[in-house]
Amino acid sequence: MPGIKGKLQATFHTKEIEGRTKRALYQATREVAAWLENAIKTTINDPYPPASVPGQPPHRRTGNLHNNLRITADTTCAGALNVWTVSYGPYLEGGTSKMLPRPFVAPFLLGRRGPGMLKVSIEQEIARRAKKYMRSG
């Protein structure tokens, strides 16, 4: 049995790879956040009157909900999104004891919105875009 001659050396650049991975994931998440914000704003742009039907996104009355919706990439947790909205946004989203829900964010996060929705889950889309940035370096 032949013996190994010479020296076998392996060099790992784990910190460099970790940094590149985090940057790629953050950039991909920022792209998906921008797309998602635009797509949601499109669905809450139907004019009032009439009022929206329960289960459908709210119609635009004052424009506050539309103008104040922000979706950003979380800088502390790779691949996470932050959703910012007006104070009454959660009540529209989840409903109250006197009003049925008019969800406008959850259908996108759960992949239940029709035309224009991502063909895959948000997690898969972030991963797909992050791979593109990893390849480009």
PDB file of all heavy atoms in Angstrom, residues 15-40:
ATOM      1  N   LYS A  15     -14.615  32.594   7.686  1.00  0.00           N
ATOM      2  CA  LYS A  15     -15.074  33.960   7.950  1.00  0.00           C
ATOM      3  C   LYS A  15     -15.420  34.671   6.647  1.00  0.00           C
ATOM      4  O   LYS A  15     -16.425  35.370   6.555  1.00  0.00           O
ATOM      5  CB  LYS A  15     -14.022  34.765   8.724  1.00  0.00           C
ATOM      6  CG  LYS A  15     -13.830  34.301  10.133  1.00  0.00           C
ATOM      7  CD  LYS A  15     -15.020  34.709  10.976  1.00  0.00           C
ATOM      8  CE  LYS A  15     -14.793  34.323  12.414  1.00  0.00           C
ATOM      9  NZ  LYS A  15     -15.997  34.335  13.196  1.00  0.00           N
ATOM     10  N   GLU A  16     -14.589  34.486   5.639  1.00  0.00           N
ATOM     11  CA  GLU A  16     -14.832  35.106   4.335  1.00  0.00           C
ATOM     12  C   GLU A  16     -16.119  34.556   3.709  1.00  0.00           C
ATOM     13  O   GLU A  16     -16.955  35.309   3.209  1.00  0.00           O
ATOM     14  CB  GLU A  16     -13.648  34.845   3.405  1.00  0.00           C
ATOM     15  CG  GLU A  16     -13.844  35.397   2.007  1.00  0.00           C
ATOM     16  CD  GLU A  16     -12.716  34.977   1.077  1.00  0.00           C
ATOM     17  OE1 GLU A  16     -11.581  34.789   1.545  1.00  0.00           O
ATOM     18  OE2 GLU A  16     -12.996  34.844  -0.125  1.00  0.00           O
ATOM     19  N   ILE A  17     -16.288  33.241   3.759  1.00  0.00           N
ATOM     20  CA  ILE A  17     -17.484  32.609   3.195  1.00  0.00           C
ATOM     21  C   ILE A  17     -18.726  33.042   3.964  1.00  0.00           C
ATOM     22  O   ILE A  17     -19.761  33.356   3.380  1.00  0.00           O
ATOM     23  CB  ILE A  17     -17.333  31.072   3.190  1.00  0.00           C
ATOM     24  CG1 ILE A  17     -16.247  30.676   2.205  1.00  0.00           C
ATOM     25  CG2 ILE A  17     -18.657  30.401   2.839  1.00  0.00           C
ATOM     26  CD1 ILE A  17     -15.825  29.225   2.297  1.00  0.00           C
ATOM     27  N   GLU A  18     -18.605  33.099   5.280  1.00  0.00           N
ATOM     28  CA  GLU A  18     -19.737  33.530   6.105  1.00  0.00           C
ATOM     29  C   GLU A  18     -20.137  34.972   5.758  1.00  0.00           C
ATOM     30  O   GLU A  18     -21.314  35.288   5.620  1.00  0.00           O
ATOM     31  CB  GLU A  18     -19.371  33.432   7.585  1.00  0.00           C
ATOM     32  CG  GLU A  18     -20.481  33.853   8.515  1.00  0.00           C
ATOM     33  CD  GLU A  18     -20.080  33.787   9.976  1.00  0.00           C
ATOM     34  OE1 GLU A  18     -18.911  33.481  10.282  1.00  0.00           O
ATOM     35  OE2 GLU A  18     -20.950  34.063  10.817  1.00  0.00           O
ATOM     36  N   GLY A  19     -19.154  35.833   5.597  1.00  0.00           N
ATOM     37  CA  GLY A  19     -19.429  37.229   5.243  1.00  0.00           C
ATOM     38  C   GLY A  19     -20.091  37.350   3.881  1.00  0.00           C
ATOM     39  O   GLY A  19     -21.060  38.100   3.713  1.00  0.00           O
ATOM     40  N   ARG A  20     -19.579  36.617   2.899  1.00  0.00           N
ATOM     41  CA  ARG A  20     -20.171  36.645   1.549  1.00  0.00           C
ATOM     42  C   ARG A  20     -21.595  36.123   1.572  1.00  0.00           C
ATOM     43  O   ARG A  20     -22.486  36.660   0.911  1.00  0.00           O
ATOM     44  CB  ARG A  20     -19.324  35.809   0.583  1.00  0.00           C
ATOM     45  CG  ARG A  20     -18.065  36.505   0.129  1.00  0.00           C
ATOM     46  CD  ARG A  20     -17.299  35.722  -0.916  1.00  0.00           C
ATOM     47  NE  ARG A  20     -18.134  35.382  -2.048  1.00  0.00           N
ATOM     48  CZ  ARG A  20     -18.010  34.259  -2.744  1.00  0.00           C
ATOM     49  NH1 ARG A  20     -17.107  33.364  -2.411  1.00  0.00           N
ATOM     50  NH2 ARG A  20     -18.791  34.014  -3.764  1.00  0.00           N
ATOM     51  N   THR A  21     -21.833  35.062   2.342  1.00  0.00           N
ATOM     52  CA  THR A  21     -23.165  34.478   2.433  1.00  0.00           C
ATOM     53  C   THR A  21     -24.141  35.466   3.056  1.00  0.00           C
ATOM     54  O   THR A  21     -25.252  35.658   2.560  1.00  0.00           O
ATOM     55  CB  THR A  21     -23.130  33.174   3.248  1.00  0.00           C
ATOM     56  OG1 THR A  21     -22.206  32.278   2.641  1.00  0.00           O
ATOM     57  CG2 THR A  21     -24.495  32.533   3.330  1.00  0.00           C
ATOM     58  N   LYS A  22     -23.738  36.111   4.144  1.00  0.00           N
ATOM     59  CA  LYS A  22     -24.612  37.093   4.799  1.00  0.00           C
ATOM     60  C   LYS A  22     -24.917  38.267   3.869  1.00  0.00           C
ATOM     61  O   LYS A  22     -26.056  38.724   3.809  1.00  0.00           O
ATOM     62  CB  LYS A  22     -23.973  37.597   6.091  1.00  0.00           C
ATOM     63  CG  LYS A  22     -24.080  36.617   7.234  1.00  0.00           C
ATOM     64  CD  LYS A  22     -23.493  37.202   8.503  1.00  0.00           C
ATOM     65  CE  LYS A  22     -23.601  36.214   9.654  1.00  0.00           C
ATOM     66  NZ  LYS A  22     -22.998  36.743  10.876  1.00  0.00           N
ATOM     67  N   ARG A  23     -23.907  38.762   3.163  1.00  0.00           N
ATOM     68  CA  ARG A  23     -24.128  39.883   2.229  1.00  0.00           C
ATOM     69  C   ARG A  23     -25.087  39.480   1.114  1.00  0.00           C
ATOM     70  O   ARG A  23     -25.983  40.236   0.750  1.00  0.00           O
ATOM     71  CB  ARG A  23     -22.797  40.369   1.648  1.00  0.00           C
ATOM     72  CG  ARG A  23     -21.993  41.228   2.612  1.00  0.00           C
ATOM     73  CD  ARG A  23     -20.808  41.892   1.923  1.00  0.00           C
ATOM     74  NE  ARG A  23     -19.874  40.951   1.335  1.00  0.00           N
ATOM     75  CZ  ARG A  23     -18.909  40.327   1.988  1.00  0.00           C
ATOM     76  NH1 ARG A  23     -18.720  40.544   3.279  1.00  0.00           N
ATOM     77  NH2 ARG A  23     -18.097  39.486   1.368  1.00  0.00           N
ATOM     78  N   ALA A  24     -24.898  38.291   0.570  1.00  0.00           N
ATOM     79  CA  ALA A  24     -25.763  37.814  -0.512  1.00  0.00           C
ATOM     80  C   ALA A  24     -27.195  37.639  -0.019  1.00  0.00           C
ATOM     81  O   ALA A  24     -28.152  38.022  -0.701  1.00  0.00           O
ATOM     82  CB  ALA A  24     -25.232  36.498  -1.081  1.00  0.00           C
ATOM     83  N   LEU A  25     -27.347  37.085   1.163  1.00  0.00           N
ATOM     84  CA  LEU A  25     -28.680  36.875   1.735  1.00  0.00           C
ATOM     85  C   LEU A  25     -29.362  38.206   2.025  1.00  0.00           C
ATOM     86  O   LEU A  25     -30.550  38.382   1.751  1.00  0.00           O
ATOM     87  CB  LEU A  25     -28.561  36.037   3.010  1.00  0.00           C
ATOM     88  CG  LEU A  25     -29.840  35.488   3.603  1.00  0.00           C
ATOM     89  CD1 LEU A  25     -30.641  34.700   2.580  1.00  0.00           C
ATOM     90  CD2 LEU A  25     -29.516  34.606   4.797  1.00  0.00           C
ATOM     91  N   TYR A  26     -28.622  39.170   2.552  1.00  0.00           N
ATOM     92  CA  TYR A  26     -29.189  40.487   2.844  1.00  0.00           C
ATOM     93  C   TYR A  26     -29.616  41.188   1.549  1.00  0.00           C
ATOM     94  O   TYR A  26     -30.703  41.761   1.472  1.00  0.00           O
ATOM     95  CB  TYR A  26     -28.179  41.336   3.621  1.00  0.00           C
ATOM     96  CG  TYR A  26     -28.711  42.705   3.959  1.00  0.00           C
ATOM     97  CD1 TYR A  26     -29.744  42.858   4.887  1.00  0.00           C
ATOM     98  CD2 TYR A  26     -28.194  43.835   3.363  1.00  0.00           C
ATOM     99  CE1 TYR A  26     -30.240  44.103   5.195  1.00  0.00           C
ATOM    100  CE2 TYR A  26     -28.690  45.092   3.668  1.00  0.00           C
ATOM    101  CZ  TYR A  26     -29.715  45.225   4.586  1.00  0.00           C
ATOM    102  OH  TYR A  26     -30.214  46.466   4.890  1.00  0.00           O
ATOM    103  N   GLN A  27     -28.772  41.148   0.530  1.00  0.00           N
ATOM    104  CA  GLN A  27     -29.107  41.783  -0.751  1.00  0.00           C
ATOM    105  C   GLN A  27     -30.346  41.132  -1.363  1.00  0.00           C
ATOM    106  O   GLN A  27     -31.244  41.823  -1.859  1.00  0.00           O
ATOM    107  CB  GLN A  27     -27.927  41.691  -1.720  1.00  0.00           C
ATOM    108  CG  GLN A  27     -28.180  42.329  -3.071  1.00  0.00           C
ATOM    109  CD  GLN A  27     -28.389  43.826  -2.994  1.00  0.00           C
ATOM    110  OE1 GLN A  27     -27.928  44.479  -2.076  1.00  0.00           O
ATOM    111  NE2 GLN A  27     -29.121  44.368  -3.947  1.00  0.00           N
ATOM    112  N   ALA A  28     -30.420  39.828  -1.325  1.00  0.00           N
ATOM    113  CA  ALA A  28     -31.579  39.114  -1.865  1.00  0.00           C
ATOM    114  C   ALA A  28     -32.845  39.467  -1.084  1.00  0.00           C
ATOM    115  O   ALA A  28     -33.917  39.664  -1.658  1.00  0.00           O
ATOM    116  CB  ALA A  28     -31.334  37.608  -1.832  1.00  0.00           C
ATOM    117  N   THR A  29     -32.727  39.551   0.242  1.00  0.00           N
ATOM    118  CA  THR A  29     -33.875  39.892   1.076  1.00  0.00           C
ATOM    119  C   THR A  29     -34.339  41.310   0.791  1.00  0.00           C
ATOM    120  O   THR A  29     -35.543  41.584   0.744  1.00  0.00           O
ATOM    121  CB  THR A  29     -33.526  39.716   2.568  1.00  0.00           C
ATOM    122  OG1 THR A  29     -33.046  38.383   2.771  1.00  0.00           O
ATOM    123  CG2 THR A  29     -34.743  39.936   3.453  1.00  0.00           C
ATOM    124  N   ARG A  30     -33.419  42.227   0.572  1.00  0.00           N
ATOM    125  CA  ARG A  30     -33.790  43.609   0.222  1.00  0.00           C
ATOM    126  C   ARG A  30     -34.572  43.643  -1.085  1.00  0.00           C
ATOM    127  O   ARG A  30     -35.555  44.377  -1.212  1.00  0.00           O
ATOM    128  CB  ARG A  30     -32.540  44.488   0.109  1.00  0.00           C
ATOM    129  CG  ARG A  30     -31.963  44.870   1.451  1.00  0.00           C
ATOM    130  CD  ARG A  30     -30.742  45.757   1.353  1.00  0.00           C
ATOM    131  NE  ARG A  30     -30.966  46.879   0.451  1.00  0.00           N
ATOM    132  CZ  ARG A  30     -30.000  47.514  -0.198  1.00  0.00           C
ATOM    133  NH1 ARG A  30     -28.753  47.158  -0.037  1.00  0.00           N
ATOM    134  NH2 ARG A  30     -30.268  48.515  -0.983  1.00  0.00           N
ATOM    135  N   GLU A  31     -34.138  42.868  -2.066  1.00  0.00           N
ATOM    136  CA  GLU A  31     -34.846  42.819  -3.356  1.00  0.00           C
ATOM    137  C   GLU A  31     -36.266  42.290  -3.186  1.00  0.00           C
ATOM    138  O   GLU A  31     -37.213  42.847  -3.733  1.00  0.00           O
ATOM    139  CB  GLU A  31     -34.107  41.921  -4.344  1.00  0.00           C
ATOM    140  CG  GLU A  31     -32.904  42.537  -4.973  1.00  0.00           C
ATOM    141  CD  GLU A  31     -32.261  41.600  -5.988  1.00  0.00           C
ATOM    142  OE1 GLU A  31     -32.857  40.546  -6.336  1.00  0.00           O
ATOM    143  OE2 GLU A  31     -31.151  41.917  -6.439  1.00  0.00           O
ATOM    144  N   VAL A  32     -36.403  41.192  -2.456  1.00  0.00           N
ATOM    145  CA  VAL A  32     -37.723  40.589  -2.242  1.00  0.00           C
ATOM    146  C   VAL A  32     -38.606  41.544  -1.440  1.00  0.00           C
ATOM    147  O   VAL A  32     -39.794  41.697  -1.733  1.00  0.00           O
ATOM    148  CB  VAL A  32     -37.609  39.211  -1.572  1.00  0.00           C
ATOM    149  CG1 VAL A  32     -38.964  38.684  -1.150  1.00  0.00           C
ATOM    150  CG2 VAL A  32     -36.941  38.220  -2.525  1.00  0.00           C
ATOM    151  N   ALA A  33     -38.039  42.237  -0.451  1.00  0.00           N
ATOM    152  CA  ALA A  33     -38.808  43.195   0.345  1.00  0.00           C
ATOM    153  C   ALA A  33     -39.348  44.313  -0.540  1.00  0.00           C
ATOM    154  O   ALA A  33     -40.523  44.700  -0.426  1.00  0.00           O
ATOM    155  CB  ALA A  33     -37.950  43.767   1.469  1.00  0.00           C
ATOM    156  N   ALA A  34     -38.533  44.839  -1.439  1.00  0.00           N
ATOM    157  CA  ALA A  34     -38.978  45.912  -2.342  1.00  0.00           C
ATOM    158  C   ALA A  34     -40.084  45.412  -3.265  1.00  0.00           C
ATOM    159  O   ALA A  34     -41.088  46.108  -3.481  1.00  0.00           O
ATOM    160  CB  ALA A  34     -37.797  46.434  -3.152  1.00  0.00           C
ATOM    161  N   TRP A  35     -39.909  44.201  -3.801  1.00  0.00           N
ATOM    162  CA  TRP A  35     -40.947  43.644  -4.674  1.00  0.00           C
ATOM    163  C   TRP A  35     -42.245  43.459  -3.899  1.00  0.00           C
ATOM    164  O   TRP A  35     -43.330  43.807  -4.375  1.00  0.00           O
ATOM    165  CB  TRP A  35     -40.504  42.304  -5.260  1.00  0.00           C
ATOM    166  CG  TRP A  35     -41.579  41.704  -6.089  1.00  0.00           C
ATOM    167  CD1 TRP A  35     -41.786  41.897  -7.423  1.00  0.00           C
ATOM    168  CD2 TRP A  35     -42.641  40.855  -5.635  1.00  0.00           C
ATOM    169  NE1 TRP A  35     -42.908  41.224  -7.814  1.00  0.00           N
ATOM    170  CE2 TRP A  35     -43.452  40.575  -6.745  1.00  0.00           C
ATOM    171  CE3 TRP A  35     -42.971  40.310  -4.401  1.00  0.00           C
ATOM    172  CZ2 TRP A  35     -44.581  39.773  -6.657  1.00  0.00           C
ATOM    173  CZ3 TRP A  35     -44.103  39.519  -4.310  1.00  0.00           C
ATOM    174  CH2 TRP A  35     -44.892  39.253  -5.434  1.00  0.00           C
ATOM    175  N   LEU A  36     -42.137  42.910  -2.699  1.00  0.00           N
ATOM    176  CA  LEU A  36     -43.307  42.621  -1.879  1.00  0.00           C
ATOM    177  C   LEU A  36     -44.048  43.904  -1.510  1.00  0.00           C
ATOM    178  O   LEU A  36     -45.277  43.971  -1.595  1.00  0.00           O
ATOM    179  CB  LEU A  36     -42.866  41.870  -0.628  1.00  0.00           C
ATOM    180  CG  LEU A  36     -43.928  41.271   0.268  1.00  0.00           C
ATOM    181  CD1 LEU A  36     -44.792  40.276  -0.487  1.00  0.00           C
ATOM    182  CD2 LEU A  36     -43.274  40.593   1.466  1.00  0.00           C
ATOM    183  N   GLU A  37     -43.320  44.941  -1.114  1.00  0.00           N
ATOM    184  CA  GLU A  37     -43.942  46.217  -0.766  1.00  0.00           C
ATOM    185  C   GLU A  37     -44.720  46.780  -1.956  1.00  0.00           C
ATOM    186  O   GLU A  37     -45.866  47.206  -1.819  1.00  0.00           O
ATOM    187  CB  GLU A  37     -42.875  47.212  -0.316  1.00  0.00           C
ATOM    188  CG  GLU A  37     -43.435  48.566   0.068  1.00  0.00           C
ATOM    189  CD  GLU A  37     -42.358  49.520   0.533  1.00  0.00           C
ATOM    190  OE1 GLU A  37     -41.474  49.123   1.318  1.00  0.00           O
ATOM    191  OE2 GLU A  37     -42.421  50.700   0.117  1.00  0.00           O
ATOM    192  N   ASN A  38     -44.116  46.755  -3.117  1.00  0.00           N
ATOM    193  CA  ASN A  38     -44.782  47.253  -4.325  1.00  0.00           C
ATOM    194  C   ASN A  38     -46.026  46.431  -4.660  1.00  0.00           C
ATOM    195  O   ASN A  38     -47.078  46.985  -4.999  1.00  0.00           O
ATOM    196  CB  ASN A  38     -43.800  47.254  -5.498  1.00  0.00           C
ATOM    197  CG  ASN A  38     -44.399  47.905  -6.708  1.00  0.00           C
ATOM    198  OD1 ASN A  38     -44.885  49.031  -6.645  1.00  0.00           O
ATOM    199  ND2 ASN A  38     -44.385  47.197  -7.828  1.00  0.00           N
ATOM    200  N   ALA A  39     -45.922  45.117  -4.558  1.00  0.00           N
ATOM    201  CA  ALA A  39     -47.055  44.246  -4.878  1.00  0.00           C
ATOM    202  C   ALA A  39     -48.219  44.469  -3.916  1.00  0.00           C
ATOM    203  O   ALA A  39     -49.386  44.526  -4.334  1.00  0.00           O
ATOM    204  CB  ALA A  39     -46.615  42.777  -4.840  1.00  0.00           C
ATOM    205  N   ILE A  40     -47.923  44.623  -2.624  1.00  0.00           N
ATOM    206  CA  ILE A  40     -48.991  44.857  -1.643  1.00  0.00           C
ATOM    207  C   ILE A  40     -49.624  46.220  -1.868  1.00  0.00           C
ATOM    208  O   ILE A  40     -50.850  46.361  -1.832  1.00  0.00           O
ATOM    209  CB  ILE A  40     -48.452  44.711  -0.202  1.00  0.00           C
ATOM    210  CG1 ILE A  40     -48.092  43.249   0.072  1.00  0.00           C
ATOM    211  CG2 ILE A  40     -49.479  45.203   0.816  1.00  0.00           C
ATOM    212  CD1 ILE A  40     -47.351  43.025   1.371  1.00  0.00           C
TER     213      ILE A  40
END
